[in-house]
Amino acid sequence: MQKLHIEGGRPLFGHVPISGAKNAALPALAATLLTADTVRLRRLPNVVDIRTMTTLLQNIGSAVKRSPDSCEFVAKGDLDPVAPYDLVKTMRASSLVLGPLAGRCGRARVSLPGGCAIGSRPIDMHLAGLRSLGATIRQDRGYIEALAPRGGLVGGRIHFRRPTVTGTEDLLMAATLAKGESVLGNAAREPEVVDLANLLIKMGARIRGAGTSTIRVEGVAELGGADHAIIPDRIETGTYMVAAAISGGDLTLDGAQPEHVQPVIRKMRSAGCEVETPDATTITVANGRPLISVDVTTREHPGFPTDMQAQFMALMTQCEGESTVHETVFENRFMHALELQRMGAAITIDGSFANVRGKTRLSGTDVMASDLRASACLVLAGLAAEGRTVVHRIYHLQRGYERLADKLQAVGANIRVVD
Ligand code: EPZ
């Protein structure tokens, strides 16, 4: 199994290109099921999750044509509206095909995604939303079966008990082909939801309010093709911002979208980082005065993203003072803290709160990745640690970070993948 070897203590300097957002690309891929016309997607990140979703689309019946800077998807003819266990078990975001298949084919059979390291991750809100659009839902031997009424889904009112990103995306897609108007209340406001809505509107969908808590959709009989570039990855952006700060270097992130990372920019400035946005697609991060600890609470967008919590915790180990990290989105997202402790970090956990006392000297050692963002956290800690850090189970990283080792090597990190 591949591992990452990192020799720490080297400040990073130079430019890092930001890739397309995995969490915008996944719903965009699912959206290609909504039409028999050609959908061309650009800036798809070359990561495992995107390859998994592409395989799922092909299994369903989509034709996929790759070219150097884009990929074309054509879902026409008889589609097989099934997401099998062997694919869903490797990527829970496969549930994103539930809404499009129910809307386009009138039925869907999707393996129930299990939980994962960060929590039980139920999809009850996805299912309740489909019922609100007239679907009948039943569970059969580990699969969810959704069946639309004979005439297709019917517009309805959906209210999420708490914002759900893929729940909002799933039902937004289903609603585009439902008869009549649908209203999604307490909807997620993430930039990835807005990017999906922009794609759907290009395909002919009639959507208002994406990016706010209330999204209105007027169903249409069918959708057409589109050509769409995926937004830059705001979590990858934040990850490299922390890489600059934790290594004591100075990085320029190119092809970013600063307005999508404002919560992270604000927090890093509070910690003493010099963060500038010289233009609409560039962020620079340098170290000014010695870093100081700041508290952080994760929230749904536009709050501080839970997907940046682990990375930020790594940074807090290198700041003077005490930091309280409060995780409010997932119930078990401190696995990385246990590994940071093994490197020498002073962290105590109390339920959904972690207390980080800095600045502590980190020592390189063998550490185990448990999920995508925890893996990134351990790489960042390895950049600051003395000696060699070996990150095991880096398949987690490869799911969502495009060429991470290459990008870090290019700015001076001593990091390599070892079989
Ligand atoms: C999306 O997951 C992201 N994944 C996650 O990124 C991200 O951490 C999360 O949103 C929160 O921002 C993709 O976009 C592919 P949620 P999602 O539904 O949609 C509970 C990464 O590292 N909930 O917004 O699955 C849920 O358990 C990944 O890239 C229900 O109870 O998250 C959680 O506590 C990790 N019932 C909360 O809501 C439901 O039906 C928010 O989850 C759905 C969710």
Side-chain angles (χ1 to χ4, degrees):
M1 204 177 282
Q2 286 188 328
K3 301 185 276 290
L4 266 179
H5 283 197
I6 306 160
E7 303 296 339
R10 298 160 65 110
L12 305 183
F13 293 97
H15 288 252
V16 179
I18 298 301
S19 302
K22 163 183 86 84
N23 288 350
L26 289 170
L29 287 170
T32 64
L33 293 169
L34 289 163
T35 177
D37 290 350
T38 300
V39 178
R40 177 198 295 259
L41 297 176
R42 303 170 187 279
R43 205 164 44 204
L44 288 172
N46 184 12
V47 296
V48 170
D49 274 8
I50 299 307
R51 294 197 287 274
T52 303
M53 182 62 97
T54 302
T55 302
L56 174 55
L57 296 181
Q58 289 172 311
N59 279 16
I60 290 169
S62 288
V64 178
K65 194 169 97 182
R66 290 179 178 81
S67 54
D69 68 345
S70 67
C71 201
E72 287 185 354
F73 300 84
V74 185
K76 67 181 179 185
D78 285 338
L79 300 180
D80 181 18
V82 176
Y85 172 75
D86 62 340
L87 282 175
V88 176
K89 76 174 187 291
T90 66
M91 187 187 65
R92 17 170 324 90
S94 309
S95 57
L96 277 166
V97 302
L98 198 52
L101 289 174
R104 171 83 187 280
C105 308
R107 61 194 175 89
R109 180 175 162 81
V110 173
S111 173
L112 258 176
C116 72
I118 63 177
S120 58
R121 315 278 308 266
I123 60 165
D124 58 300
M125 288 192 275
H126 298 234
L127 305 180
L130 281 173
R131 288 193 188 95
S132 302
L133 301 183
T136 305
I137 305 288
R138 74 189 190 97
Q139 185 167 329
D140 169 45
R141 287 170 292 157
Y143 278 74
I144 286 296
E145 293 196 340
L147 194 59
R150 187 177 305 280
L153 295 177
V154 179
R157 297 187 71 83
I158 295 165
H159 187 82
F160 298 109
R161 70 168 184 281
R162 64 181 295 178
T164 159
V165 176
T166 52
T168 299
E169 293 163 345
D170 218 354
L171 293 154
L172 178 59
M173 290 187 279
T176 59
L177 294 177
K179 285 178 183 50
E181 183 184 54
S182 297
V183 180
L184 278 60
N186 200 22
R189 300 168 54 190
E190 273 69 5
E192 293 76 24
V193 173
V194 176
D195 197 37
L196 172 64
N198 290 339
L199 166 60
L200 293 168
I201 289 165
K202 284 180 187 175
M203 294 167 67
R206 296 168 62 186
I207 299 169
R208 286 177 294 128
T212 74
S213 298
T214 302
I215 304 177
R216 295 178 187 284
V217 184
E218 187 62 43
V220 294
E222 63 178 16
L223 292 176
D227 186 324
H228 183 73
I230 302 296
I231 54 171
D233 193 316
R234 62 191 171 101
I235 306 302
E236 182 192 28
T237 301
T239 302
Y240 286 110
M241 288 173 66
V242 170
I246 205 168
S247 69
D250 182 339
L251 291 179
T252 298
L253 309 184
D254 299 315
Q257 200 150 349
E259 73 264 24
H260 290 168
V261 280
Q262 284 305 319
V264 178
I265 291 174
R266 282 195 296 273
K267 271 298 167 189
M268 295 203 53
R269 283 176 174 158
S270 308
C273 301
E274 286 176 11
V275 184
E276 302 299 337
T277 54
D279 61 45
T281 63
T282 306
I283 299 174
T284 63
V285 182
N287 273 357
R289 57 183 192 274
L291 297 178
I292 54 170
S293 299
V294 291
D295 296 341
V296 66
T297 297
T298 65
R299 294 273 184 228
E300 295 80 6
H301 194 76
F304 187 91
T306 175
D307 288 351
M308 275 299 302
Q309 181 258 104
Q311 300 91 310
F312 201 76
M313 186 184 287
L315 181 61
M316 289 301 104
T317 69
Q318 300 309 297
C319 298
E320 291 299 337
E322 289 205 25
S323 159
T324 298
V325 178
H326 184 197
E327 172 57 57
T328 71
V329 178
F330 289 109
E331 65 266 30
N332 185 37
R333 203 168 198 175
F334 285 146
M335 305 277 277
H336 47 282
L338 308 176
E339 295 302 292
L340 289 173
Q341 285 168 337
R342 296 184 54 250
M343 297 176 74
I347 303 173
T348 52
I349 307 286
D350 178 9
S352 63
F353 292 86
N355 182 278
V356 184
R357 285 180 307 287
K359 173 174 183 175
T360 51
R361 189 175 59 81
L362 299 180
S363 305
T365 183
D366 286 83
V367 290
M368 184 79 74
S370 54
D371 62 85
L372 174 57
R373 307 306 175 182
S375 320
C377 158
L378 298 175
V379 171
L380 295 168
L383 294 175
E386 285 173 25
R388 170 175 295 178
T389 299
V390 179
V391 183
H392 296 256
R393 296 188 181 174
I394 61 167
Y395 57 85
H396 289 295
L397 261 181
Q398 292 158 341
R399 293 189 50 183
Y401 283 95
E402 187 176 53
R403 299 187 305 105
L404 180 124
D406 295 344
K407 292 184 181 183
L408 286 173
Q409 273 168 9
V411 290
N414 182 336
I415 178 172
R416 60 196 174 91
V417 177
V418 173
D419 286 324

